[in-house]
Amino acid sequence: MANKLINQLGLPKSIANIFTARNIITAKDALSLTEFELMELLDVGMSEVTSAMAHISELVCPPCQTALLLMEQRVRNESLAGHLPTQLKGLDEALCGGIPFGVVTELVGPPGIGKTQFCLKLSLLASLPVNYGGLDGRVIYIDVESKFSSKRLIEIGTKSFPEIFHKKGMAQEMAGRILILRPTSLSEFAESLQRIKVSLLQQQVKLLIIDSMAALVLGEHDCGASRQQALGWHVSFIKSLAEFSRIPIVLTNQVRSHVGDESLMYSFQAQSRSTKGDIPVTFDSHLVAALGINWAHAVTIRLVLESKSGKRFIKLAKSPMSPPLAFPFHITSSGIVLLDNDGIEMKGPEISTIHCQGLSLMKADKLVQLVPFNNLYSFRYSELVSCPAIVATYSYVSRLCMARDICLSILLVLLITISVSPSWMGGLSHCDHTWS
Amino acid sequence: MEIGMLPISASKRGKLLAAGYTTLHSILRTSTTHLARDIEVSESEALEILNFATRSSDLDKSSGSNANVIHGGQTAWDMLNEERFSSLITTSCLDLDNILGGGINCKEVTEIGGVPGIGKTQIGIQLAVNVQIPLDYGGLGGKAIYIDTEGSFMVERVLQIAEACIEDLSEYSHHFYKDNQAFGVKMHPNSILENIFYFRVCSYTEQIALVNYLDKFVTEHKDVKIIIIDSVTFHFRQDFDDMALRTRLLGEMSLKLMKLAKNFSLAVVMLNQVTTKHIEGSFQLTLALGDSWSHSCTNRIILYWNDDERHAYIDKSPSLKSASAPYSVTSRGIRNSTSSSKRIKMV
């Protein structure tokens, strides 16, 4: 809308010509200058500039709706007033029906906790017919790290909805609705997004999953301004895509370690803290979501998956319409299952922290490598062969040496040397489909 | 007394200087015909220049004399009387209202900022509902404009808060008026939703265009009493290479909003995001959009976590004391915090 040409906006001829003469072609060009600058540039009086800008602004600004109109539209046009039910009763209730349409939902958590499993289940749910609680539509799954397993998808389908999947040809049709894209770079991703935008409504796409957003961005740029800028553009594009097509968009995000001895505070807080005296120094190297605080502001709903003392929780860390609840879950052959539908209400910023304690990763092709010496290094993935025994030992010992950074790195070196030995290689194939 | 202060185009200014009119005084001494002949413009344009010059010189001349002569000025006593009757919009949290001196002030621009998930959108929605509380119940009975730049306006949540507000009002009326037929709350949640005008802004140009258009919109809808912008930062944070331009655009936008607030006696609430800044060797949290933006609002409230509670801190205000108060976000909206520890903390 902002790219409307000025000479098509119905301004009086004289002023429209002056605009063009000064190379201000689109409305965006005109609005990107202050009125004073325009006055200087166009060499006209202030009153003329003001009236011209008022006219342009009226045509460029978005249409006015009322909240009532929005609600009525949603109830009328969309299934379940614009939500995709996740079949997890507690979560659906908290989210007023399920994953909402038109906004960006983020899943963040340490590796191996179940983000991809959740995404697989969601893509299946969206492709189901409406009478089974699905959206009866196509799904686009952007798989950056090649984690999509169609075998696992069929397994989830057969175990959760046996009556559909045992019918002849249904499995093929359901799986046929899920389109998997594997972009290898951020620019390729941007291109495929542009293509998706064009074909979104035509092909009845009802869900877009990006797994994982962090791998896409972090792999490309160095830290700092260029990454923030690239991310910023993609964020607005994805959000506008979600809204314009009224579909849910689900993204996954990674975590990185936060080795800070105190959390960030405002200047007025810092002043009052210093008068109190002792700042409690914690050696708590907990995890935070990757991609920064800008990203955290941009997503609408954030679901944190974490593991605390061996139990897994899914938490509603940021949601404009839900209380801060945490639901324990585990992963079965039919995907994620909640253990308790009521949820535990968490107070305070606890809802946003991410723990990774006692997580026994049965299927993990990545191991978290924390390089704690130098605070400048954040997170690096290393593809290590893993087996339950190693990982269990690792998590046990890491809990012991939480504060002793040196021990951790020595331990990792040991693990690498052990894992290279061929006897462990044989254990790999067994690790694929065992679910706790 | 300078020509440069007149709001006329550069070429006209050039002509004035070339013809020898270097001060306002010199323009005032001539007539329109002489001026038109000297600088070779039409009579109407010359008249316009003369009007501008007269207005400017009036302002200069009577500075220091009685206030009634100054065009557009007001004495402090008059302002005090006005302020006594100025309207306040409650936030539904008593502690927060107390540190705000009763609520969000109409005629002022208030900025509210905080980390993600602290409740900025919740406060915005609560205010959009509370401005509609009828006059009988001490509210303003007005309408709200909600400008959404991030897409965080969830209609289901607005419905929840609206229903809770109506329930609270009914309880209040039951409590005070025994014959509740006469004072029964006749509001329906749908009517509350109907009085919230919603604009979805997708780029910074749309945001600027909308702020320009609001003047006309509010003239047509005189009962709008609050404008909420959620959030004012989002579009200005991406794809802006020229930071100086961004500062100028933001400055102009904030001036327009202040004019809106003053002229139409409404409250403008801007929600802002946070960023980290490197101060004195450590990273600290601060509100986004830079230092020059922090001068653009009248009041500034920062929302933050204090242990397990949400607190609001008055960071900048010409008339309110720096204090912080706890509040909580419940399924019914913003309410008092439920902890029993000492409430308002004066800083």
Side-chain angles (χ1 to χ4, degrees):
Chain A
M1 217 185 283
N3 287 329
K4 283 194 183 150
L5 299 173
I6 293 207
N7 39 18
Q8 290 176 355
L9 289 177
L11 283 169
K13 261 293 176 198
S14 52
I15 197 101
N17 289 338
I18 300 179
F19 270 110
T20 330
R22 295 290 177 191
N23 213 18
I24 300 183
I25 314 286
T26 61
K28 181 172 175 170
D29 299 329
L31 288 164
S32 304
L33 296 168
T34 63
E35 284 182 2
F36 191 77
E37 284 169 2
L38 275 174
M39 188 177 90
E40 293 283 302
L41 186 65
L42 303 175
D43 200 14
V44 292
M46 191 51 141
S47 52
E48 283 151 350
V49 170
T50 326
S51 61
M53 288 311 287
H55 187 91
I56 297 177
S57 304
E58 188 172 347
L59 292 170
V60 170
C61 85
C64 175
Q65 299 166 294
T66 61
L68 185 64
L69 207 67
L70 283 179
M71 192 175 79
E72 286 174 348
Q73 264 177 0
R74 303 219 176 134
V75 168
R76 204 178 21 199
N77 296 342
E78 295 167 359
S79 58
L80 287 153
H83 293 270
L84 164 63
T86 58
Q87 307 279 344
L88 303 169
K89 192 155 157 287
L91 190 62
D92 282 346
E93 258 175 41
L95 286 174
C96 302
I99 308 275
F101 289 6
V103 290
V104 172
T105 307
E106 181 196 18
L107 293 168
V108 64
I113 195 133
K115 305 188 291 292
T116 308
Q117 299 302 308
F118 197 76
C119 292
L120 288 175
K121 185 89 186 272
L122 279 181
S123 49
L124 198 67
L125 288 171
S127 63
L128 290 179
V130 181
N131 45 355
Y132 286 98
L135 297 179
D136 200 23
R138 290 165 157 266
V139 176
I140 294 184
Y141 194 106
I142 298 187
D143 184 17
V144 181
E145 297 171 316
S146 304
K147 286 201 269 193
F148 188 87
S149 156
S150 33
K151 213 159 81 166
R152 174 67 179 142
L153 182 77
I154 303 291
E155 185 189 353
I156 297 179
T158 4
K159 288 282 160 52
S160 330
F161 304 100
E163 60 283 2
I164 310 177
F165 275 76
H166 283 132
K167 272 194 238 166
K168 213 167 139 60
M170 280 305 271
Q172 188 184 3
E173 191 185 326
M174 293 299 127
R177 290 186 181 170
I178 304 176
L179 178 68
I180 297 139
L181 294 171
R182 292 210 163 100
T184 45
S185 70
L186 200 57
S187 41
E188 213 182 302
F189 170 67
E191 269 175 61
S192 31
L193 274 191
Q194 300 277 17
R195 271 183 281 132
I196 290 173
K197 183 176 174 180
V198 167
S199 67
L200 214 49
L201 289 173
Q202 294 167 353
Q203 290 192 16
Q204 294 287 313
V205 174
K206 296 285 170 124
L207 173 65
L208 173 65
I209 298 183
I210 304 174
D211 179 14
S212 69
M213 190 70 200
L216 210 49
V217 176
L218 294 174
E220 196 119 324
H221 300 260
D222 296 321
C223 250
S226 70
R227 186 203 285 175
Q228 284 300 321
Q229 233 183 13
L231 190 57
W233 182 84
H234 288 88
V235 162
S236 345
F237 188 69
I238 294 176
K239 279 177 84 116
S240 63
L241 194 63
E243 287 197 33
F244 140 82
S245 51
R246 290 296 302 169
I247 59 166
I249 294 190
V250 178
L251 313 153
T252 53
N253 193 3
Q254 295 166 354
V255 292
R256 60 173 177 83
S257 62
H258 178 62
V259 198
D261 47 2
E262 49 184 274
S263 53
L264 289 171
M265 294 189 301
Y266 294 98
S267 50
F268 63 86
Q269 280 178 301
Q271 284 162 17
S272 64
R273 276 281 172 92
S274 57
T275 53
K276 270 196 209 152
D278 261 330
I279 305 171
V281 178
T282 52
F283 288 109
D284 190 12
S285 62
H286 58 269
L287 304 168
V288 292
L291 297 179
I293 199 163
N294 235 347
W295 172 261
H297 275 296
V299 297
T300 313
I301 298 190
R302 175 174 264 190
L303 297 170
V304 168
L305 290 92
E306 66 166 9
S307 132
K308 217 165 157 186
S309 35
K311 292 213 205 94
R312 302 181 191 213
F313 289 91
I314 180 167
K315 302 197 286 198
L316 280 154
K318 179 182 178 193
S319 164
M321 54 211 182
S322 330
L325 293 174
F327 299 95
F329 71 95
H330 66 182
I331 305 184
T332 63
S333 56
S334 59
I336 290 194
V337 167
L338 290 184
L339 293 169
D340 173 17
N341 273 324
D342 288 325
I344 310 160
E345 182 141 350
M346 309 207 91
K347 284 204 170 297
E350 182 70 24
I351 189 78
S352 313
T353 53
I354 309 174
H355 298 272
C356 185
Q357 303 158 356
L359 181 65
S360 70
L361 308 163
M362 295 298 257
K363 177 189 194 249
D365 51 354
K366 296 178 179 59
L367 225 162
V368 163
Q369 183 179 13
L370 302 167
V371 184
F373 278 128
N374 196 334
N375 290 351
L376 290 181
Y377 294 130
S378 53
F379 218 52
R380 268 191 291 147
Y381 278 120
S382 57
E383 305 240 313
L384 291 178
V385 170
S386 75
C387 254
I390 297 180
V391 183
T393 328
Y394 169 73
S395 50
Y396 175 66
V397 180
S398 70
R399 251 182 287 142
L400 284 183
C401 350
M402 217 33 125
R404 308 297 173 37
D405 300 331
I406 304 171
C407 277
L408 217 53
S409 11
I410 294 180
L411 185 70
L412 280 161
V413 170
L414 276 172
L415 279 174
I416 294 170
T417 35
I418 293 173
S419 58
V420 166
S421 76
S423 56
W424 289 112
M425 295 286 203
L428 221 197
S429 53
H430 296 299
C431 287
D432 270 6
H433 291 291
T434 45
W435 297 102
S436 52
Chain B
M1 290 289 229
E2 283 300 337
I3 303 277
M5 289 197 318
L6 294 176
I8 51 177
S9 62
S11 57
K12 286 206 193 116
R13 220 177 296 150
K15 285 187 191 165
L16 280 172
L17 288 172
Y21 294 97
T22 44
T23 63
L24 286 180
H25 198 56
S26 53
I27 301 182
L28 290 171
R29 275 188 300 185
T30 65
S31 68
T32 38
T33 29
H34 282 140
L35 195 60
R37 194 190 51 212
D38 282 339
I39 58 175
E40 288 159 31
V41 291
S42 69
E43 288 247 353
S44 52
E45 287 179 355
L47 185 61
E48 202 185 321
I49 297 178
L50 259 178
N51 281 340
F52 282 136
T54 337
R55 222 182 296 156
S56 315
S57 68
D58 265 348
L59 280 168
D60 284 344
K61 223 190 298 174
S62 47
S63 60
S65 64
N66 202 330
N68 296 328
V69 178
I70 299 180
H71 175 70
Q74 223 186 356
T75 61
W77 181 252
D78 291 335
M79 278 178 73
L80 183 63
N81 284 330
E82 250 181 42
E83 267 171 36
R84 246 183 238 157
F85 302 110
S86 86
S87 343
L88 299 162
I89 306 173
T90 174
T91 56
S92 292
C93 167
L94 193 59
D95 294 327
L96 198 50
D97 280 348
N98 281 343
I99 61 168
L100 287 171
I104 301 281
N105 218 330
C106 284
K107 287 192 161 194
E108 283 181 2
V109 176
T110 310
E111 184 184 356
I112 303 181
V115 291
I118 193 107
K120 305 186 290 292
T121 307
Q122 304 299 310
I123 290 190
I125 297 179
Q126 183 73 61
L127 289 170
V129 168
N130 284 357
V131 75
Q132 299 178 41
I133 295 178
L135 290 157
D136 298 334
Y137 294 87
L140 294 180
K143 300 194 179 168
I145 293 180
Y146 197 97
I147 301 176
D148 187 6
T149 61
E150 296 179 330
S152 43
F153 186 77
M154 305 252 104
V155 199
E156 300 92 349
R157 182 62 174 153
V158 184
L159 196 61
Q160 274 179 353
I161 294 185
E163 284 169 352
C165 183
I166 294 181
E167 275 170 23
D168 286 347
L169 288 181
S170 318
E171 209 181 290
Y172 175 82
S173 74
H174 275 231
H175 195 66
F176 277 95
Y177 304 107
K178 302 304 171 193
D179 52 340
N180 39 16
Q181 280 95 346
F183 292 100
V185 183
K186 292 183 186 63
M187 289 165 75
H188 188 267
N190 282 357
S191 64
I192 294 192
L193 287 183
E194 206 176 12
N195 289 335
I196 302 180
F197 296 108
Y198 175 77
F199 291 91
R200 175 72 174 96
V201 166
C202 298
S203 68
Y204 76 87
T205 41
E206 281 186 22
Q207 194 170 335
I208 297 176
L210 183 54
V211 173
N212 290 344
Y213 173 60
L214 276 177
D215 197 81
K216 184 169 174 206
F217 188 85
V218 180
T219 325
E220 287 168 11
H221 298 89
K222 280 261 182 300
D223 40 7
V224 168
K225 285 287 169 209
I226 188 168
I227 298 175
I228 300 155
I229 307 181
D230 178 14
S231 62
V232 74
T233 341
F234 184 65
H235 293 297
F236 283 92
R237 256 183 142 171
Q238 19 253 36
D239 61 36
F240 249 106
D241 299 317
D242 186 359
M243 281 299 152
L245 174 65
R246 187 181 90 161
T247 314
R248 288 198 298 275
L249 287 175
L250 285 172
E252 199 189 31
M253 195 173 76
S254 70
L255 275 177
K256 292 221 171 86
L257 288 168
M258 278 203 235
K259 232 174 39 170
L260 270 175
K262 268 260 152 351
N263 290 346
F264 296 103
S265 287
L266 42 83
V268 176
V269 174
M270 304 192 290
L271 302 178
N272 200 355
Q273 297 176 353
V274 296
T275 180
T276 49
K277 197 160 84 159
H278 195 86
I279 307 175
E280 296 161 11
S282 69
F283 282 100
Q284 281 183 358
L285 280 178
T286 178
L287 295 192
L289 292 180
D291 290 324
S292 30
W293 174 254
S294 46
H295 298 295
S296 323
C297 56
T298 320
N299 302 313
R300 200 173 222 209
I301 302 175
I302 297 185
L303 307 176
Y304 64 103
W305 285 106
N306 191 354
D307 298 327
D308 271 351
E309 270 197 316
R310 294 180 157 94
H311 277 66
Y313 173 72
I314 305 219
D315 189 42
K316 170 192 165 192
S317 167
S319 52
L320 300 167
K321 217 190 301 201
S322 267
S324 81
Y327 69 96
S328 72
V329 179
T330 67
S331 60
R332 301 169 72 84
I334 305 279
R335 293 290 187 269
N336 277 339
S337 163
T338 45
S339 81
S340 53
S341 55
K342 181 157 173 15
R343 294 289 163 137
I344 301 177
K345 196 172 58 173
M346 293 296 171
V347 174

